[in-house]
């Protein structure tokens, strides 16, 4: 799949926004979420790769969702958010492999994100 530098097409940015939402809804112990892109479903980590070098500014509602999950990108771009989210996905998958935690009350923490510390 191509990586977009500079400005990414709208359908690519939308897929990344969907990936953020899918991460928010992801419960521990489940397989990595997938989102629709180009008439197929791809893992959210693959969507991160699509915007790896995208300098477009990530919308505030997406930054807020990442914040609810204790993900703080170094900048406000899609690229920075993609790097932070992909790292967090990797950490979650490794954690699931090690501990296999059981979700409590639908899998969410008090912060509202299944992956938050609160």
């Amino acid at each position: 799949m191509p990586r977009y530098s500079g400005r990414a097409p709208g359908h690519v940015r939308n897929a990344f926004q969907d990936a953020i939402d899918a991460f928010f809804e992801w419960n521990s112990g489940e397989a990595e979420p997938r989102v629709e892109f180009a008439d197929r479903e791809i893992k959210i980590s693959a969507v991160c790769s699509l915007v790896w070098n995208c300098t477009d500014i990530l919308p505030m509602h997406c930054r807020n969702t990442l914040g609810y999950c204790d993900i703080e990108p170094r900048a406000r771009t899609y690229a920075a958010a993609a790097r932070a989210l992909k790292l967090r996905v990797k950490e979650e998958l490794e954690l699931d492999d090690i501990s296999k935690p059981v979700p409590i009350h639908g899998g969410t923490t008090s912060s509202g994100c299944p992956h938050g510390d609160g």
Side-chain angles (χ1 to χ4, degrees), residues 87-104:
L87 176 63
R88 189 61 179 277
V89 168
K90 180 182 176 189
E91 290 170 351
E92 290 296 328
L93 291 171
E94 289 172 357
L95 179 64
D96 283 348
D97 284 343
I98 294 170
S99 63
K100 298 292 183 191
V102 177
I104 300 173

Side-chain angles (χ1 to χ4, degrees), residues 4 13 19 22 38 42 47 55 57-58 77 85 89 95 102 105 115:
Y4 293 90
R13 290 180 308 206
I42 62 172
V47 178
T55 58
I57 301 299
L58 190 69
T77 63
L85 181 59
V89 168
L95 179 64
V102 177
H105 303 296
H115 311 285

